[in-house]
């Protein structure tokens, strides 16, 4: 299996001129059936709890998609953590280094939803493990810096991230350092939260989700010599895709939820949108979607993606 790219639910694979392919393709039914062959100690109650992570996710979706996905991940994780011969060869016995799973895709494609469901599944199935979750939004420059650099309307584009801090963070995680800190981004205040930190204390698994993790042209010279990209630190990559019409719908829906929530938080960025009528708020969401997130997806993002398992 190693070396293959796995494509889920892509019914029509683009015609290629070869009669061989590096892709394994599953439709929803064949993928869901994989789970039949796996042991699950998850109870129905636990599965229902997972569904509570996002009310838009159905029980069928958890069973058909996320359970087989977490089983697949469990295979890769146990292969990588139980290679005692290799550990003896390298004299690294007993050194537990976090396994990093990267999740990427467009804005509003469901990266954080998927990451939270996987975090919950992987943390107690098939055994208890520590699983931390970090988002690359944490490494966006704060709004005042974006403003100074005239990048406020380029949020999410490669240049809006502090790539040096992000690479340093990943370098520490993969070096097995304890208590590595990262800033916190809030969608509600639309900015980095001052003085708040995430602490990642050498977990068994770290999920990292964000727009930029597979962007191979976005690198940083470590020690001023070695070009390093984010994906160098990632053990397993997941790219989530969906038709743009659906992405737009989900983006607008999330925008309206933020507007409603911000009604109780006058300091929130969305507070001034909450005063608008729903059609006015939808018009603003559509504008942000079309002017920032679509160009990012079409002009920058697709150019940089390579997914390898
Ligand atoms: N599988 C899904 N089915 C239906 N709606 C979804 C699904 N995944 C995400 N959504 C909706 O899309 C919106 C964006 O999801 P989110 O996980 O925040 O995306 P991202 O982290 O990629 O920006 C959310 O409001 C969520 O309810
Ligand atoms: C912070 C983000 C870049 C990250 O996106 P995510 O995939 O977490 O939704 C994005 O939500 C964003 O703010 N884009 C800029 C345009 C906008 O306001 O939607």
């Amino acid at each position: 299996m190693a070396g293959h790219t796995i494509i889920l639910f892509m019914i029509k694979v683009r015609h290629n001129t070869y009669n061989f392919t590096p892709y394994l393709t599953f439709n929803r039914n064949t993928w869901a059936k994989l789970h039949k062959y796996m042991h699950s100690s998850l109870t129905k109650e636990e599965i229902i709890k997972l569904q509570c992570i996002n009310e838009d996710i159905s029980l069928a979706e958890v069973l058909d998609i996320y359970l087989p996905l977490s089983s697949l991940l469990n295979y890769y994780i146990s292969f990588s953590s139980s290679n005692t011969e290799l550990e003896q060869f390298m004299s690294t016995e007993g050194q537990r280094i976090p396994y990093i799973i990267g999740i990427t895709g467009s804005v509003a494609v469901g990266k954080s939803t998927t990451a939270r469901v996987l975090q919950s599944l992987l943390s107690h199935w098939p055994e208890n493990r520590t699983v931390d979750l970090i988002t690359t939004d944490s490494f966006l420059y704060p709004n005042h810096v974006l403003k100074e650099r005239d990048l406020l309307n380029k949020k999410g584009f490669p240049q809006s991230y502090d790539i040096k801090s992000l690479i340093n963070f990943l370098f520490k995680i993969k070096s097995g350092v304890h208590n590595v800190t990262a800033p916190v981004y809030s969608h509600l205040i639309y900015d980095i939260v001052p003085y708040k930190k995430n602490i990642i204390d050498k977990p068994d698994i770290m999920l990292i989700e964000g727009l930029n993790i597979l962007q191979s042209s976005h690198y940083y010279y470590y020690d001023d010599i070695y070009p390093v990209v984010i994906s160098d630190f990632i053990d397993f990559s997941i790219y989530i895709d969906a038709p743009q019409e659906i992405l737009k719908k989900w983006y607008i829906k999330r925008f309206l939820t933020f507007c409603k929530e911000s009604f109780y938080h006058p300091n929130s960025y969305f507070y001034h949108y909450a005063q608008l009528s729903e059609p006015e708020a939808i018009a603003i969401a559509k504008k942000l979607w079309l002017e920032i997130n679509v160009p990012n997806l079409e002009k920058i993002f697709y150019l940089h993606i390579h997914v390898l398992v």
Side-chain angles (χ1 to χ4, degrees):
M1 195 93 105
H4 278 291
T5 296
I6 295 169
I7 302 183
L8 307 185
F9 319 134
M10 188 184 272
I11 308 299
K12 209 168 111 197
V13 178
R14 210 174 289 151
H15 173 75
N16 78 39
T17 44
Y18 307 110
N19 58 1
F20 47 83
T21 171
Y23 303 112
L24 291 178
T25 309
F26 299 84
N27 64 29
R28 183 172 178 140
N29 281 343
T30 49
W31 181 252
K33 277 192 196 135
L34 293 182
H35 186 63
K36 228 175 43 188
Y37 305 106
M38 297 157 190
H39 299 289
S40 165
S41 55
L42 280 182
T43 61
K44 194 142 190 139
E45 289 70 42
E46 283 168 328
I47 294 172
I48 290 169
K49 251 195 254 158
L50 284 172
Q51 207 192 332
C52 297
I53 288 179
N54 187 328
E55 60 185 25
D56 294 321
I57 288 192
S58 66
L59 188 55
E61 206 171 331
V62 172
L63 294 172
D64 289 357
I65 296 164
Y66 296 103
L67 270 179
L69 180 57
S70 67
S71 301
L72 176 73
L73 287 166
N74 276 320
Y75 278 122
Y76 277 94
I77 295 163
S78 36
F79 285 146
S80 93
S81 64
S82 59
N83 200 332
T84 37
E85 277 179 34
L86 177 63
E87 284 182 357
Q88 275 166 9
F89 176 71
M90 300 293 279
S91 306
T92 57
E93 293 109 307
Q95 280 183 29
R96 198 176 43 80
I97 297 295
Y99 187 89
I100 304 191
I101 300 170
I103 302 173
T104 191
S106 162
V107 169
V109 74
K111 297 182 298 300
S112 58
T113 305
T114 303
R116 279 183 285 141
V117 173
L118 288 178
Q119 180 182 28
S120 179
L121 282 172
L122 294 169
S123 62
H124 63 268
W125 180 62
E127 63 204 68
N128 281 337
R129 285 186 291 220
T130 46
V131 186
D132 278 335
L133 171 55
I134 190 96
T135 108
T136 63
D137 301 352
S138 294
F139 294 91
L140 280 163
Y141 287 113
N143 285 352
H144 73 269
V145 175
L146 293 175
K147 206 168 165 190
E148 266 163 38
R149 300 183 186 183
D150 199 18
L151 290 175
L152 253 187
N153 60 356
K154 289 275 181 284
K155 200 181 257 195
F157 284 57
Q159 63 271 37
S160 63
Y161 293 92
D162 180 353
I163 183 77
K164 180 178 171 186
S165 298
L166 176 49
I167 297 281
N168 275 326
F169 168 81
L170 291 168
F171 211 95
K172 285 184 193 155
I173 298 288
K174 270 294 184 198
S175 307
V177 175
H178 283 279
N179 297 322
V180 184
T181 59
V184 175
Y185 181 82
S186 154
H187 277 282
L188 210 57
I189 67 162
Y190 202 67
D191 203 350
I192 296 293
V193 185
Y195 312 113
K196 206 168 165 190
K197 294 277 174 222
N198 279 305
I199 299 174
I200 308 291
D201 187 16
K202 206 177 174 191
D204 298 312
I205 302 168
M206 188 182 82
L207 293 150
I208 178 161
E209 61 97 352
L211 298 173
N212 53 348
I213 58 170
L214 296 176
Q215 292 179 342
S216 51
S217 65
H218 194 200
Y219 51 81
Y220 163 71
Y221 282 99
Y222 194 80
D223 266 355
D224 293 332
I225 305 173
Y226 317 106
V228 183
V229 289
I230 299 167
S231 59
D232 287 345
F233 299 89
I234 295 190
D235 296 291
F236 191 103
S237 311
I238 299 173
Y239 179 77
I240 311 177
D241 202 5
Q244 274 203 28
E245 266 319 294
I246 293 183
L247 296 178
K248 183 172 159 191
K249 207 167 104 193
W250 288 356
Y251 176 79
I252 294 172
K253 192 170 166 227
R254 187 177 69 180
F255 188 92
L256 293 176
T257 309
F258 287 147
C259 289
K260 281 188 197 123
E261 282 173 16
S262 69
F263 205 76
Y264 305 99
H265 303 277
N267 294 332
S268 137
Y269 174 81
F270 285 84
Y271 188 68
H272 53 284
Y273 296 142
Q275 319 296 316
L276 302 174
S277 69
E278 189 164 302
E280 283 169 329
I282 292 175
I284 288 171
K286 281 187 178 161
K287 193 168 147 57
L288 288 168
W289 176 252
L290 274 179
E291 290 181 2
I292 305 181
N293 297 319
V294 171
N296 188 16
L297 181 66
E298 289 181 342
K299 297 205 180 90
I300 313 280
F301 203 63
Y302 282 148
L303 291 179
H304 298 162
I305 297 300
H306 304 271
V307 189
L308 287 174
V309 169

